[in-house]
Amino acid sequence: MSAQAPSAVILIRAEKFVPNPATAADNAFQHDAPQGQTAEATAAAALAEMDAVAAALRAAGVTVHVFADEDHTRPDSVFPNNWLSTHPGGYVAVYPMYASNRRHERRGDILEMLKSTYRLQTIVDYSGLEPDGIFLEGTGAMVLDHVSRVAYTAVSHRADTLVLERFCSDFNYEPMAFHAVDAGGVPVYHTNVIACIGTEVALIALDMIPDEQRRREVRERLEVTGREVVALSETQVREFAGNAVELCGRTPEGRKRYVMAMSGRARRSLTGPQITTIERSCEIISVDIPTIELAGGSVRCMIAGVHLDPRSTRAPEPTETAEAIDEAPVSADGQV
């Protein structure tokens, strides 16, 4: 398993999807459903898009865990990466969420699946910070370099630096916080709309970091790891080109297959040279998800990667000692 590119993911089959009115105020990427389109039609279209993403990832050899959600009070549950992240070594983090109607997206059955299917040691729960108005929305707020242990974070009220420091201390990451804004000066609401870090390539909208020195430091920090940096424009970011994620699948012959998952809209915004750079290290897999993108997130937001070692699916072979214990002992007088 690659440290950066997980081979398994969690998706939520949100049957009552609609763009969340509680998140519209600070999410410049969010839009209303087309005028006249019913909530039922919107939800049905989003469900078909989610199923298409799951099918594309499975076809690439990625393990996909799908959880159904019929709750109409969780319009954004299709984006589980905001409340959950997993980490090599058996660690899981649960995060404090900004919108109050998103806080019950956290699900015990997903955590129980991780416990039973993967080697999980510790769950660190930061959700108790919500009453204090302190938020860090998972791998939406942070884009993590799992290899060099860096947490790239665009500061916003969804990414508080205090809880970022706490997460980095608990999980042994280096915090790399910066301010990022669009052309109108509006802060970027989630880091993962402007940046994606793969094993050998990084996509990032450096020009949206207004501080020239910090912009240079972020680029140098990415390049020192040996990654090739693909600079995205703000126009491409608005097409969700930054909202991608590298995964590790398998070919039919069982060989590793690195893929970069993104939306069709995102891929169409990339230039030929950018695509060439990305595909030197991983194959681009794209799926059109226009309905889900109305909520202000794209393919990366839909995916909670599983960076955990799976448990063995077969019973262990008994050792010689265990076999000796299992043999029926015979006493000196011949009695069993």
Side-chain angles (χ1 to χ4, degrees), residues 6 44 59 81 103 125 150 176 184 191 206 209 216 264 276 313:
N81 79 310
R103 295 171 189 172
D125 188 353
V150 183
M176 191 145 204
T191 314
L206 290 165
I209 303 174
R216 184 171 57 253
T276 298
T313 57

Side-chain angles (χ1 to χ4, degrees), residues 254-326:
R255 295 191 301 272
K256 284 185 179 180
R257 176 188 182 189
Y258 290 97
V259 300
M260 184 73 76
M262 63 178 64
S263 73
R265 174 182 175 183
R267 191 188 190 285
R268 288 188 291 271
S269 76
L270 296 173
T271 67
Q274 287 173 325
I275 291 172
T276 298
T277 299
I278 294 167
E279 292 198 324
R280 275 200 284 267
S281 61
C282 53
E283 173 189 352
I284 295 176
I285 290 181
S286 60
V287 181
D288 283 307
I289 56 166
T291 309
I292 292 173
E293 286 176 334
L294 292 173
S298 191
V299 169
R300 173 65 188 97
C301 296
M302 297 172 63
I303 291 173
V306 180
H307 295 267
L308 303 171
D309 292 331
R311 293 186 180 276
S312 176
T313 57
R314 64 179 185 179
E317 295 292 330
T319 64
E320 291 183 6
T321 301
E323 289 176 338
I325 291 173
D326 285 339

